[in-house]
Amino acid sequence: MIPRVRFAPSPTGYLHVGGARTALFNYLYARRHGGVFVLRIEDTDTERSSVEMVTGILDGLRWLGLTWDEGPDVGGPHDPYFQSARLDRYRTVAAQLVASGQAYPCYCSGERLRAERERAEGQGEAWQYDRACLALTPEQRAAHEAAGHPYAVRFAVPPGATAFDDAVHGRISFENAGIEDFVILRSDDNPTYHLSVVADDVDMAITHVVRGDDHISNTPKHVMLFEALGAPVPCFAHVPLILGEDKKRLSKRHGATSVMEYAQQGYLPEALLNFLALLGWSPGGDRELMSRAELVEAFGLEGISGGNAVFNTEKLDWMNGQYIAARSPEALVADVTPFLREAGLLPALSGAPVHGDLPPISDERSEPAWLQRLLTLLQPRARRLTDFVEQARPFLVDDVVYEPEAVSKHLSSPDLCGHIEALGAVLGQVEPYTEAAVEAAVRALAVSRGLKAGALIHATRVAVTGRTASPGIFEVLVLLGRTRTLARLEHLSRFLAARDAGAHA
Ligand code: GLU
């Protein structure tokens, strides 16, 4: 039997990390077993659903590379995959259940039901539908029908108990007495979630339902509907909730929850995918960094833990850093370019149109190879793609801004101006202008002026980047090139001279 699984989002919001993780588990299960991954849009709640949200969900899934085999855009044998386009089918199924006596029309008014509920709750009791309409005689029912009274359709819950074997939680059993005759078709002729989800899972021949824990209490109703329709009951796997670090259900309060926000914050899809896979699932052992193929290879429902999973942003950042570090130079340029462009920092690449506010750079920095060198230099320290923006700025903008902390920490020596001028003279002469030669020249100058090499290096870093931290200074100086380095050293000596003159005045 080829497994058929589905991800069935309601487009009432963007794709959030919990939904993405559910989609991922379904996807991995399908790929692991050569099965079919169906995407079905549950948009029967027309007031809360929107086309924009559908697009957002599809974008999020595509960004993560969770391609579906049947569903929107790709179609399939069970088209349409939008519940809003399948309403007639649900009405037919409801009618079929009424005809077989497993469901019945309910003419009770909303007011009566509300009043009954409030009365019971006022006495501290839970209220369940009292089956008034199940007790109608055929004549009474015919009279309602003849008068054209509006009605909902309720499922007649049979006596006994309903149980299912959950692949995550084991056997779960519910007493049917605790489940009221639930509505499957509303009086406006629209299905409830229970009816549409089961009708579709039957029609689409779904074999495994992998979904959030929050649906466990719905599952006995679904099992009863499958049985009433004479359809095989699929295997259920209810995956644990995702919690924030405070152990509360993950929500906006904890930061980004939509997958595309993670894209904007500079996470790589491979890293987020890997991270989400380990939220509530483990391959055993302490494996953490796993490619998509490795995840597919190792995935199984038995590895899903029953306990809730905690979303640890620090771990995600670490993982993202690992994926960034492993990126090829070409891929890195492609990944980072949109962020540089958005920040207005992209040098005009040879032949490319000018973007952003910067004047076009017509020096070697406009060569793709130079950008590649810059990004690979910054690569080891980056944890998010957005980190490249601030780190790249001093390389792409010639007005270096000295950070106050860098000034107070590394520029306080009163003799510094002379040292920086001397350094400029030395670096103007050194041949060839390579890392090794520049390093030797800087160290020799420090010795000859009785300075610690570190002090000179720190001041040089401030001169060329304005910062207290940067990649290895000699690589930085060579990447910037001699002319730019000398101009920045000169700028610093003027800054220091003005400061010193001010101090003496
Ligand atoms: N549309 C439901 C939801 O978004 C999915 C339910 C299911 O997977 O059965 O929660």
Side-chain angles (χ1 to χ4, degrees), residues 27-44:
Y27 166 92
L28 292 175
Y29 191 81
R31 295 292 171 266
R32 174 74 185 85
H33 298 284
V36 177
F37 176 43
V38 177
L39 174 61
R40 181 173 75 222
I41 304 297
E42 305 211 321
D43 57 350
T44 51

Side-chain angles (χ1 to χ4, degrees), residues 104-120 127-136 144 154 180:
Y104 58 91
C106 171
Y107 298 95
C108 295
S109 71
E111 293 84 73
R112 179 180 90 79
L113 299 178
R114 253 191 308 280
E116 293 282 352
R117 183 178 307 275
E118 275 163 23
R119 191 190 45 76
W127 190 76
Q128 221 167 274
Y129 179 61
D130 55 11
R131 299 188 139 174
C133 287
L134 185 62
L136 294 178
H144 277 297
R154 289 183 184 269
E180 74 172 1

Side-chain angles (χ1 to χ4, degrees), residues 6-12 16 19 22 26 40-44 83 193 196-198 201 209-212 214-215 218-219 222 236 238:
R6 85 298 194 279
F7 175 52
S10 304
T12 53
H16 55 90
T22 300
N26 278 286
R40 181 173 75 222
I41 304 297
E42 305 211 321
D43 57 350
T44 51
Q83 289 193 328
Y193 155 68
S196 54
V197 83
V198 173
D201 285 344
V209 171
V210 182
R211 63 184 175 191
D214 46 340
H215 285 293
N218 292 325
T219 304
H222 299 177
F236 288 95
H238 287 96

Side-chain angles (χ1 to χ4, degrees), residues 261-488:
E261 273 177 87
Y262 284 90
Q264 284 149 17
Q265 290 182 5
Y267 291 95
L268 291 172
E270 294 84 348
L272 188 61
L273 191 86
N274 189 163
F275 176 78
L276 290 176
L278 299 179
L279 277 182
W281 172 77
S282 160
D286 50 11
R287 283 175 85 186
E288 291 208 299
L289 290 174
M290 296 174 77
S291 68
R292 178 186 306 266
E294 288 168 335
L295 290 170
V296 167
E297 179 67 26
F299 190 76
L301 299 178
E302 63 290 344
I304 299 177
S305 90
N308 289 330
V310 174
F311 193 102
N312 179 342
T313 308
E314 212 166 291
K315 180 168 170 187
L316 172 59
D317 283 355
W318 166 81
M319 206 170 251
N320 203 51
Q322 299 292 309
Y323 277 85
I324 287 178
R327 232 39 179 180
S328 73
E330 296 76 18
L332 198 59
V333 170
D335 291 333
V336 177
T337 298
F339 290 93
L340 293 177
R341 178 165 294 157
E342 194 178 326
L345 281 180
L346 196 67
L349 294 180
S350 308
V354 181
H355 287 274
D357 309 326
L358 284 185
I361 297 175
S362 55
D363 52 44
E364 77 280 11
R365 291 177 292 181
S366 65
E367 295 301 326
W370 190 90
L371 191 59
Q372 231 180 59
R373 273 174 71 200
L374 169 61
L375 298 185
T376 43
L377 185 61
L378 304 176
Q379 190 171 16
R381 299 158 63 97
R383 305 193 102 197
R384 300 186 190 181
L385 298 175
T386 45
D387 291 346
F388 285 94
V389 173
E390 273 323 293
Q391 295 300 318
R393 189 179 294 276
F395 293 86
L396 298 170
V397 178
D398 285 324
D399 290 330
V400 176
V401 178
Y402 305 138
E403 285 177 352
E405 190 203 344
V407 173
S408 60
K409 230 169 140 181
H410 298 309
L411 301 185
S412 53
S413 156
D415 305 324
L416 194 57
C417 188
H419 300 318
I420 292 295
E421 277 168 6
L423 181 63
V426 166
L427 294 186
Q429 301 296 322
V430 67
E431 283 303 342
Y433 193 78
T434 57
E435 270 168 53
V438 167
E439 174 163 6
V442 171
R443 292 192 187 280
L445 181 74
V447 171
S448 74
R449 297 185 70 98
L451 277 173
K452 284 206 182 100
L456 191 56
I457 287 171
H458 289 315
T460 307
R461 174 172 289 117
V462 182
V464 296
T465 69
R467 316 269 169 86
T468 54
S470 77
I473 188 67
F474 306 112
E475 284 170 280
V476 169
L477 296 182
V478 171
L479 182 63
L480 278 172
R482 194 196 310 260
T483 312
R484 220 167 281 119
T485 298
L486 295 184
R488 292 180 186 194

